[in-house]
Amino acid sequence: MCIRDRVPADIRKDGGVARMSDPDMIEGIINAVSIPVMAKSRIGHFVEAQVLQSLGVDYIDESEVLTPADEVNHSDKWAFTTPFVCGATNLGEALRRIAEGAAMIRSKGEAGTGNVVEAVRHLRQIKGEIAKLRGCDNNEIYAAAKELRAPFELVKEVAELGKLPVVLFSAGGVATPADAALMRQLGAEGVFVGSGIFKSGDPAKRAAAIVKATTFYDDPKIIADASRNLGEAMVGINCDTLPEAERYANRGW
Amino acid sequence: MFTPTIGVLALQGDVREHLVALAAADALARPVRRPEELAEVDGLVIPGGESTTMSKLAVAFGMLEPLRERVRAGMPVYGTCAGMIMLADKLLDGREDQETLGGIDMIVRRNAFGRQNESFEASIDVTGIEGGPVEGVFIRAPWVESTGAATEVLATYDGHTVAVRQGNVLATSFHPELTGDHRVHALFVEMVRAAQ
């Protein structure tokens, strides 16, 4: 479960500065459920992250969906005991976040749009760059690290493992059971869905259907059944008409 | 030597890590999500994850009764963390509607070692595992509050039972699949071989 006071679709609509949620709300949710709870801090806002850790959240999402607090630096995640998830649009960005201490990576997509196109682009980009590294010999890893702007040791590890050294999720624009299954078939180990559920006609039913399609991501019959009679999907926004300044995926460095 | 086919319950949790550990321990490992897949395995691992979610999905996907039947019929099963919770006859601090498979006469306390921030690693001596202690990774881990007469306690930490066995059913509070040390999986593969 992930907490923010507004889903990205509402943040887009309302505009203004998006920040960490009220601690009362976060504690209320922690006390109401027994599953792990994740909450968002702004990029580079390590004091919001300290506050979230002190509240006892289980994971912190240093998220581009909130308004960044630092346009140069992300938080030093090694300074925390609470694990962080961070967004990435490509392999270099993912490895820079891991070098800063991120315990999980999610491909960014474009949150709050209900449009899966950017999620696909980012996951394909990350997986494609990993695949390219697999063919590299040791001599080439140095140049690859320079090109990726990522630490040599991490690039070498990815080349050897053929995957990130941490879990890779996908997020940002997933709105249907088939969207979720698509991200899984493209190689995501899990899927985050927010606005796609809460901005739909029947959130509980859609959530259950998306969970089912995520588990049985390679079984089109089950995905078909999960997709029946879900009511209105989130209306969605075409990403190519989004102004540059409203593209959350560009936030993060 | 007989190579057993061992499934990993793949509804939710760290399935991939268990598949890798089982393969390293000389088993044929495959994910199990459907009753017909369950019917084809000689043994089953229930992975770490979130136990109320796993329980919900087992009910939603029609796996609860087939799983219970196989466990009752004596199929070897190994549960780690959330998997241990799934194998408990009784739970403390679970959800009211939370179903378990049962299989071990024990009462397990869910999230007993605390939240994510209280997660830790510790060296654990496990009865039946030779070559020194195993590295126990405890993540929002449960412990065994009490056990019945037929349940063998294999390991304790800080006064709490963290590994048990009853017949063909094995459970640990911790995650050997995350450490690269495959001795606990090798013990389970041996249990599956012996049950043939």
Side-chain angles (χ1 to χ4, degrees):
Chain A
M1 165 166 303
C2 187
I3 303 178
R4 53 215 160 180
D5 40 7
R6 295 171 291 170
V7 294
D10 289 331
I11 293 174
R12 282 189 189 282
K13 213 169 76 193
D14 301 349
V17 175
R19 313 176 178 91
M20 174 187 78
S21 299
D22 184 320
D24 257 0
M25 178 198 185
I26 295 171
E27 274 179 353
I29 292 173
I30 287 175
N31 293 332
V33 302
S34 66
I35 56 176
V37 171
M38 180 186 288
K40 287 187 188 306
S41 79
R42 282 178 266 178
I43 288 174
H45 205 317
F46 52 86
V47 174
E48 281 189 351
Q50 290 165 3
V51 169
L52 293 174
Q53 175 164 289
S54 81
L55 295 175
V57 305
D58 296 289
Y59 316 102
I60 297 168
D61 187 348
E62 187 182 23
S63 175
E64 69 281 0
V65 172
L66 304 187
T67 310
D70 189 326
E71 294 190 336
V72 179
N73 308 292
H74 285 248
S75 297
D76 170 18
K77 292 163 274 291
W78 295 110
F80 293 80
T81 54
T82 307
F84 277 71
V85 62
C86 287
T89 58
N90 57 50
L91 181 59
E93 197 177 0
L95 295 182
R96 289 194 290 282
R97 298 296 84 82
I98 294 168
E100 295 156 2
M104 298 170 273
I105 294 293
R106 69 183 154 68
S107 62
K108 282 180 181 170
E110 199 52 65
T113 62
N115 186 339
V116 80
V117 66
E118 296 300 314
V120 170
R121 188 191 320 281
H122 299 153
L123 188 58
R124 276 205 188 276
Q125 178 72 27
I126 293 168
K127 300 293 285 187
E129 287 176 293
I130 292 173
K132 237 165 64 187
L133 274 185
R134 286 229 87 173
C136 285
D137 65 31
N138 235 341
N139 302 300
E140 294 169 311
I141 304 280
Y142 294 96
K146 194 171 70 180
E147 217 170 278
L148 291 166
R149 295 190 292 130
F152 169 79
E153 287 303 330
L154 278 177
V155 177
K156 192 168 151 61
E157 193 177 352
V158 170
E160 282 165 6
L161 290 174
K163 63 184 280 302
L164 291 182
V166 302
V167 174
L168 174 60
F169 295 102
S170 175
V174 175
T176 69
D179 285 351
L182 173 65
M183 300 321 295
R184 291 279 277 127
Q185 286 201 28
L186 287 172
E189 295 172 82
V191 182
F192 290 13
V193 191
S195 310
I197 288 172
F198 292 106
K199 291 290 149 187
S200 72
D202 188 344
K205 196 170 175 193
R206 184 165 292 263
I210 289 177
V211 167
K212 187 159 199 182
T214 302
T215 301
F216 294 97
Y217 63 95
D218 52 357
D219 189 329
K221 277 213 171 95
I222 294 184
I223 300 165
D225 281 339
S227 306
R228 287 176 210 275
N229 299 315
L230 292 182
E232 281 301 302
M234 181 186 176
V235 173
I237 298 173
N238 283 321
C239 294
D240 48 7
T241 59
L242 262 190
E244 257 333 92
E246 289 177 25
R247 288 175 181 261
Y248 298 155
N250 292 343
R251 300 166 167 178
W253 5 95
Chain B
M1 197 166 53
F2 169 69
T3 303
T5 301
I6 300 183
V8 178
L9 187 64
L11 302 178
Q12 191 264 342
D14 66 336
V15 176
R16 181 169 47 85
E17 288 75 6
H18 274 292
L19 292 171
V20 170
L22 285 168
D26 294 327
L28 278 176
R30 55 172 69 161
V32 166
R33 291 174 293 180
R34 303 171 176 84
E36 56 270 29
E37 292 163 347
L38 178 64
E40 288 171 2
V41 299
D42 304 313
L44 185 74
V45 168
I46 305 179
E50 203 289 307
S51 65
T52 64
T53 308
M54 214 181 275
S55 152
K56 243 188 205 173
L57 296 182
V59 173
F61 302 158
M63 284 296 284
L64 189 69
E65 284 312 319
L67 283 164
R68 281 180 173 160
E69 242 163 69
R70 286 292 312 261
V71 176
R72 268 199 300 266
M75 172 180 67
V77 189
Y78 171 34
T80 63
C81 195
M84 169 187 259
I85 293 172
M86 291 295 283
L87 293 172
D89 282 351
K90 274 181 85 176
L91 280 190
L92 295 173
D93 295 341
R95 271 173 65 117
E96 262 174 40
D97 59 351
Q98 186 170 355
E99 301 280 357
T100 71
L101 308 178
I104 299 183
D105 183 5
M106 61 177 173
I107 301 175
V108 167
R109 186 179 291 279
R110 181 167 164 256
N111 298 346
F113 284 106
R115 301 185 70 85
Q116 183 72 38
N117 278 328
E118 282 87 57
S119 299
F120 62 98
E121 294 181 25
S123 292
I124 307 290
D125 280 306
V126 183
T127 305
I129 302 282
E130 290 178 2
V134 301
E135 196 57 21
V137 178
F138 293 80
I139 305 171
R140 295 173 56 92
W143 70 48
V144 180
E145 196 92 2
S146 65
T147 51
T151 308
E152 186 189 357
V153 173
L154 301 182
T156 59
Y157 174 76
D158 205 15
H160 301 290
T161 297
V162 295
V164 292
R165 177 176 175 175
Q166 181 179 329
N168 281 337
V169 189
L170 178 70
T172 60
S173 302
F174 49 89
H175 294 269
E177 74 278 11
L178 300 180
T179 62
D181 176 350
H182 305 306
R183 286 177 294 162
V184 180
H185 287 80
L187 169 73
F188 179 62
V189 173
E190 270 317 306
M191 285 169 57
V192 178
R193 274 203 194 101
Q196 290 305 304

